[in-house]
Amino acid sequence: MTLNRDPDIICFKHCGRKIFVFSVPSHCPVCSLPLSQSNEVQPFTLPYPFVNATQCPCSVVLRSSHGDFLSNFQNSVNLHIALTDSCGSIVEFDSPGLLWTPARNVDKAQWRQCVLIMQVPEAWYAEWDQTLRNVIDHEGWRRKQYDEDHVNCYSFVLDFLRHLQYEDTSQFVHDRQTFSTKFVVPKTAYAAKFITIFRRIKDNGFWPDEINSE
């Protein structure tokens, strides 16, 4: 099991299919033959796409605006993007304005299941924290500035990254679409596949897929 409360997704091969389960059964759920008589099973665990934000210092993290990804996320639900500092505190901009929440006070239910969009190496931690303080001191990010469509959580994160000037990231942070295409979509695409498989196993006990399918 991974260090979270969600079950692992295990994949094994049998009877011409990839079969996804939470635990490997003694018999194939598709053809009912004993798995012990097959050499093709080779089970492996799918990489878990979510992180606890407070355990990822100096990162850009993304969470579902309502509930968590595995249980509540739908394509129509807005996503909320935020930063962490070197101590794992959550720094975000939303309708109440700027919020800087120490890791010990973070609502664990909200932030334990996030997509890690990017994280700088430890050598950049001091620069990250200083830039974060500078952006907040100089730009303000007050409640009255918030606009759901034009000055929002994405605006805050992109403004910070423009000031940080971390390696080649700078060329992708001028607008939301460019940043999303480069950093967000690759991570959320895998997360979406994981969510789909998770829910199908939860509903049916397993999920079979053709081996040659994408």
Side-chain angles (χ1 to χ4, degrees):
M1 295 290 290
T2 51
L3 296 178
N4 53 71
R5 297 180 182 178
D6 307 309
D8 291 333
I9 293 179
I10 300 171
C11 177
F12 66 90
K13 298 177 182 178
H14 200 262
C15 57
R17 293 178 172 86
K18 292 183 293 185
I19 300 173
F20 299 90
V21 292
F22 290 144
S23 60
V24 180
S26 59
H27 290 68
C28 176
V30 176
C31 69
S32 300
L33 291 176
L35 295 182
S36 59
Q37 298 179 7
S38 174
N39 294 323
E40 66 174 330
V41 177
Q42 301 175 352
F44 64 92
T45 301
L46 298 190
Y48 187 72
F50 306 113
V51 299
N52 183 331
T54 62
Q55 296 174 1
C56 298
C58 297
S59 298
V60 178
V61 292
L62 190 74
R63 67 169 173 84
S64 175
S65 296
H66 306 287
D68 61 48
F69 277 107
L70 289 177
S71 301
N72 308 106
F73 177 72
Q74 302 292 336
N75 288 335
S76 60
V77 175
N78 289 333
L79 296 173
H80 182 64
I81 196 166
L83 304 169
T84 63
D85 67 7
S86 62
C87 297
S89 301
I90 305 294
V91 188
E92 56 184 317
F93 182 67
D94 208 347
S95 54
L98 181 77
L99 300 173
W100 193 320
T101 310
R104 65 181 179 276
N105 297 331
V106 165
D107 183 342
K108 294 179 175 58
Q110 279 193 332
W111 296 98
R112 76 172 187 89
Q113 203 177 90
C114 297
V115 176
L116 179 63
I117 301 302
M118 63 173 289
Q119 183 176 32
V120 298
E122 190 171 351
W124 272 78
Y125 282 11
E127 182 69 21
W128 179 285
D129 282 352
Q130 185 59 54
T131 302
L132 194 51
R133 286 190 290 269
N134 291 343
V135 166
I136 292 171
D137 289 344
H138 296 157
E139 304 295 330
W141 296 101
R142 308 303 180 194
R143 179 177 182 175
K144 63 182 180 181
Q145 295 174 269
Y146 181 82
D147 179 274
E148 185 175 357
D149 296 320
H150 303 292
V151 185
N152 49 38
C153 58
Y154 258 97
S155 308
F156 170 66
V157 169
L158 292 179
D159 185 53
F160 165 76
L161 292 174
R162 283 192 288 269
H163 283 83
L164 182 67
Q165 297 185 340
Y166 172 64
E167 297 184 349
D168 63 348
T169 301
S170 299
Q171 61 184 303
F172 302 105
V173 297
H174 296 293
D175 62 85
R176 177 172 176 170
Q177 182 174 351
T178 302
F179 179 77
S180 295
T181 300
K182 176 65 176 179
F183 294 103
V184 178
V185 172
K187 299 293 184 69
T188 54
Y190 174 70
K193 291 180 181 179
F194 189 95
I195 292 168
T196 297
I197 295 171
F198 180 92
R199 291 177 180 175
R200 289 180 178 179
I201 299 172
K202 189 175 180 180
D203 290 341
N204 304 305
F206 69 98
W207 182 53
D209 192 15
E210 298 297 331
I211 284 181
N212 61 356
S213 67
E214 293 297 328

